């Protein structure tokens, strides 16, 4: 007897994900020049690494001197009660892999490695892996400068007034002209 006879599957929900254009990705990299987040973006965009793999990456898994430079994904970062946990338990068996590194990232990693005092590629000021809140603050640096449409709410006399702002690439932020979208 087949137990699946007559069973129905729930309808899959389509999720709409915002994807950066090439122009937005290049601008994001320009915004965080000489910033730890630049390496995160390079690893995410150039190597298709997950956030947990990027934040768990240590220098012993970055092979810059090989004939074809590569990264060995062997660790993952997780946050437990805002405390970083780096573990060798990966998402799946397929997550354990070697990823070739594009030349622009090789140069960036060589610079970072020369000035690094930590075992971790992305580390806080004490050389420890970032906590979730530390990463969120770094990421907010990019989000504030993105061209993503924003909806601001302001309450006037008890009424909610919505204002939609669509920033344009290269435009200065209205209330903080130091920030360029």
């Amino acid at each position: 007897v087949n137990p699946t006879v007559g069973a129905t599957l729930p309808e899959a929900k389509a999720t709409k994900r915002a994807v950066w254009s090439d122009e937005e990705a290049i601008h994001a990299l320009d915004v965080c020049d000489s910033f730890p987040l630049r390496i995160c973006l390079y690893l995410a965009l150039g190597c298709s690494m997950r956030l947990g793999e990027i934040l768990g990456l240590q220098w012993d898994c970055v092979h810059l001197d090989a004939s074809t430079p590569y990264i060995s994904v062997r660790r993952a970062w997780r946050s437990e009660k805002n405390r970083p946990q780096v573990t060798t338990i990966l998402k799946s068996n397929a997550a354990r892999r070697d990823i070739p590194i594009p030349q622009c990232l090789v140069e960036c990693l060589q610079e970072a490695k020369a000035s690094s005092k930590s075992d971790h590629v992305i580390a806080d000021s004490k050389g420890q892996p970032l906590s979730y809140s530390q990463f969120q603050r770094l990421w907010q640096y990019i989000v504030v400068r993105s061209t993503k449409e924003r909806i601001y709410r302001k309450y006037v006399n008890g009424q909610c007034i919505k204002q939609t702002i669509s920033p344009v690439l290269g435009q200065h932020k209205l209330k903080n002209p130091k920030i360029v979208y």
Side-chain angles (χ1 to χ4, degrees):
V1 176
N2 185 349
T4 61
V5 171
T8 58
L9 293 174
E11 200 170 302
K13 295 179 184 176
T15 56
K16 186 177 178 182
R17 292 186 179 190
V19 178
W20 283 353
S21 67
D22 290 343
E23 190 177 78
E24 289 173 317
I26 290 168
H27 182 67
L29 288 167
D30 289 342
V31 164
C32 56
D33 192 24
S34 72
F35 202 68
L37 199 50
R38 183 176 183 84
I39 296 173
C40 285
L41 287 175
Y42 265 135
L43 291 168
L45 297 170
C47 299
S48 299
M49 290 177 69
R50 298 177 187 98
L51 176 61
E53 295 168 344
I54 294 168
L55 296 179
L57 185 62
Q58 293 182 7
W59 288 115
D60 66 339
C61 291
V62 179
H63 307 280
L64 300 173
D65 298 330
S67 58
T68 302
Y70 68 97
I71 291 173
S72 294
V73 178
R74 300 293 181 259
R75 296 179 191 89
W77 169 95
R78 289 176 182 73
S79 182
E80 292 179 19
K81 298 181 182 174
N82 199 36
R83 300 227 190 280
Q85 305 292 324
V86 177
T87 178
T88 56
I89 300 169
L90 300 177
K91 184 176 178 179
S92 67
N93 289 336
R96 186 174 300 274
R97 63 199 187 283
D98 293 335
I99 305 169
I101 308 171
Q103 189 56 40
C104 58
L105 180 54
V106 170
E107 294 162 6
C108 187
L109 286 169
Q110 284 172 335
E111 246 180 78
K113 189 174 184 177
S115 62
S116 178
K117 295 176 177 84
S118 172
D119 291 340
H120 299 275
V121 175
I122 308 295
D124 65 11
S125 59
K126 296 175 185 170
Q128 298 301 310
L130 296 181
S131 67
Y132 185 74
S133 60
Q134 287 171 322
F135 175 76
Q136 287 297 101
R137 278 194 301 274
L138 288 176
W139 187 247
Q140 197 60 31
Y141 185 88
I142 295 292
V143 171
V144 165
R145 289 157 177 79
S146 75
T147 56
K148 180 182 173 196
E149 188 175 272
R150 297 162 171 78
I151 298 174
Y152 292 101
R153 291 174 179 82
K154 175 166 85 171
Y155 289 91
V156 178
N157 296 331
Q159 276 196 320
C160 179
I161 299 171
K162 289 183 184 178
Q163 181 181 11
T164 302
I165 296 176
S166 301
V168 177
L169 197 60
Q171 178 183 26
H172 291 267
K173 190 171 182 178
L174 188 61
K175 294 188 179 185
N176 188 350
K178 291 180 183 177
I179 294 178
V180 180
Y181 295 112

